[in-house]
Amino acid sequence: MPLNVLAVKSAKPKERAYKLADERGLYLLVSPAGGKLWRFKYRFGGKERLLALGAYPEVSLVEARDAREDARRLLSRSIDPSSAKREARHHAKHIAGDSFEAIAREYLEKRGALWSAKYTASVLLRLESDVFPTLGARPVSEVTAPDVLEVLRKIESRGAAEQARRAHQHIGKVMRYAVVTSRATRDVAADVKGALHPAAVRHYPALTDPEAIGGLLRTIGAYEGKSIYVRNALLLLAHTFVRPSELRQATWEEIDLEERLWVIPADRMKLRRPHLVPLTDRSAQIFTELKAIRGKSELVFPGYRSRDVPMDGASLRIALSGMGYGGIHVPHGFRAMASTRLHEQGFAIDVIEAQLAHALPGVRGIYNRAVHLKERTEMLKWWSGYLDDLTTSQPD
């Protein structure tokens, strides 16, 4: 007699395991511990075999019978249900290993050796928040352009066009990695580019008019804030136009005043490449003044509360704001200031870009950290002299 729901539900454990038969090879195995396991007994290749169909109540009587019928259909096609189940499990495991999330994490693990830990963590957080919920479990080879667009539209819907653009970049990098590792055939994210809302271009406020630059430098020179480090940091940003973070985290080990050279290590550079900064007479003079008050700190610009921690990133911005330049010029603006004036003076674009530590056309893979070093040294010498002239010249 076939089982019914009441018989399955009310089956009690005994001292030994026992079976409650349904029909067509299906039965319920009741263990001494009270477990209720569905089993399907069948013959294949002349041998008796068993197929596990799950446990009650997670798998109901109806579901167990459906699974049995699926197995019987396989048998009618001369396919062993147990072998088919193992293959399906193996395939599912393979698909999970080639899911978008698995490939993305693999990609980040490899790229993390070249990126800072902070940047790697931020990329992973962005993927976990905005991308994995939709694409994570999907086999990377099955991700389509509409799938990618769905993710980006969700981000854009909350007014985050810039975040959508960055997510698009990260998805594209993961897809291209999947292509080169033979897990996908093409980067479908490339098809979506034209469908995104344009992100607002971010321009750092910067002074580029010569007279205004001279006024700014005179104001900085007269700054009597609570730290001599702030004044000198701003002056060095003007003369070297490195990124503020690269300056704030500088250590004395990087500064060679005899060779007039500052070597910024790769792990502190945006492109993860070491960067050489020639020191002019003026920038070397500033470093010399700072070294005289160095104390025991290994940092060129130690923080207020601890000399073992770099100056806070907000210090320079707050100082400029206090001087009356809030919204007019920011620490990062010294880079745009230098780039604009040097271009107008006719200096070679490649030399300017090399000093800005931007990626140069034609430079792939191995990067020559001393690229255009002689030309950059001459350019910075001119630039420091130009800034000094603007500082000492009085407006009409």
Side-chain angles (χ1 to χ4, degrees):
M1 176 182 294
L3 288 174
N4 56 51
V5 174
L6 181 60
V8 173
K9 185 177 181 180
S10 60
K12 303 297 183 185
K14 298 180 180 179
E15 186 177 347
R16 294 185 179 182
Y18 66 96
K19 303 174 185 178
L20 292 177
D22 185 50
E23 58 183 354
R24 297 183 180 179
L26 178 66
Y27 65 85
L28 184 71
L29 178 66
V30 183
S31 72
K36 300 176 181 180
L37 309 174
W38 294 110
R39 296 289 187 264
F40 172 55
K41 183 171 65 174
Y42 66 97
R43 296 187 68 83
F44 187 84
K47 296 182 180 180
E48 186 175 286
R49 300 175 184 267
L50 279 179
L51 178 65
L53 301 180
Y56 179 85
E58 287 79 11
V59 177
S60 68
L61 174 59
V62 172
E63 290 170 331
R65 286 172 175 168
D66 288 342
R68 176 198 61 199
E69 293 308 305
D70 289 340
R72 286 170 57 82
R73 280 189 285 272
L74 290 174
L75 287 169
S76 69
R77 292 155 49 197
S78 299
I79 298 174
D80 183 1
S82 295
S83 297
K85 183 179 180 180
R86 284 194 301 271
E87 290 176 8
R89 190 163 51 237
H90 175 76
H91 179 69
K93 184 177 180 181
H94 174 73
I95 290 297
D98 283 349
S99 68
F100 182 89
E101 180 173 347
I103 301 301
R105 291 183 182 278
E106 181 182 319
Y107 168 75
L108 288 180
E109 183 178 354
K110 293 182 180 298
R111 295 301 298 174
L114 302 176
W115 296 343
S116 68
K118 182 178 180 181
Y119 179 70
T120 303
S122 70
V123 173
L124 179 58
L125 179 61
R126 188 173 290 117
L127 290 171
E128 289 177 336
S129 301
D130 293 327
V131 180
F132 290 167
T134 302
L135 300 182
R138 193 162 304 177
V140 71
S141 61
E142 297 179 11
V143 173
T144 65
D147 294 333
V148 176
L149 185 60
E150 178 187 351
V151 171
L152 302 180
R153 284 282 187 257
K154 287 180 181 178
I155 302 173
E156 288 182 333
S157 68
R158 63 175 191 256
E162 176 62 20
Q163 287 90 328
R165 185 186 67 81
R166 290 180 180 274
H168 179 244
Q169 290 178 341
H170 297 320
I171 294 171
K173 290 176 181 178
V174 172
M175 292 303 304
R176 290 191 289 277
Y177 176 73
V179 171
V180 299
T181 54
S182 302
R183 266 82 69 86
T185 56
R186 59 185 301 273
D187 170 21
V188 296
D191 299 335
V192 179
K193 187 174 181 180
L196 292 176
H197 294 305
V201 178
R202 181 182 184 184
H203 294 291
Y204 291 99
L207 296 175
T208 57
D209 176 74
E211 185 174 320
I213 294 173
L216 171 64
L217 293 174
R218 286 190 293 274
T219 302
I220 293 174
Y223 178 67
E224 296 182 353
K226 60 182 179 180
S227 172
I228 189 176
Y229 291 108
V230 170
R231 180 174 71 249
N232 283 321
L234 292 172
L235 290 174
L236 279 172
L237 285 179
H239 284 270
T240 64
F241 47 96
V242 296
R243 296 178 179 88
S245 62
E246 295 160 4
L247 181 75
R248 290 187 300 100
Q249 298 174 35
T251 65
W252 285 111
E253 184 181 18
E254 301 166 8
I255 312 298
D256 190 332
L257 291 174
E258 291 187 7
E259 294 294 330
R260 296 292 184 89
L261 199 62
W262 173 15
V263 183
I264 307 177
D267 61 358
R268 291 204 298 102
M269 295 299 298
K270 184 175 181 180
L271 295 180
R272 321 315 294 173
R273 298 165 176 166
H275 183 51
L276 271 61
V277 181
L279 300 181
T280 64
D281 289 346
R282 185 70 178 97
S283 53
Q285 178 189 3
I286 297 172
F287 275 119
T288 300
E289 292 174 1
L290 288 169
K291 198 167 188 178
I293 59 171
R294 168 186 175 181
K296 295 182 179 180
S297 178
E298 294 299 320
L299 295 166
V300 178
F301 296 99
Y304 299 129
R305 295 174 180 165
S306 172
R307 298 185 66 82
D308 297 324
V309 178
M311 175 191 296
D312 183 78
S315 299
L316 303 180
R317 186 173 62 256
I318 291 172
L320 284 171
S321 181
M323 297 176 201
Y325 288 94
I328 299 173
H329 190 86
V330 296
H332 206 284
F334 287 106
R335 291 168 62 78
M337 171 196 289
S339 178
T340 299
R341 300 304 304 156
L342 290 170
H343 275 97
E344 291 181 355
Q345 293 297 320
F347 283 92
I349 294 176
D350 283 359
V351 177
I352 298 172
E353 292 297 289
Q355 185 56 37
L356 288 166
H358 288 164
L360 297 175
V363 179
R364 299 290 183 267
I366 299 176
Y367 178 77
N368 179 6
R369 68 179 185 172
V371 65
H372 297 308
L373 184 60
K374 181 179 179 181
E375 294 90 339
R376 288 193 285 126
T377 301
E378 292 300 318
M379 180 180 71
L380 283 177
K381 181 179 179 181
W382 181 91
W383 177 246
S384 274
Y386 176 72
L387 293 183
D388 286 343
D389 288 343
L390 292 179
T391 305
T392 55
S393 64
Q394 294 298 319
D396 295 334

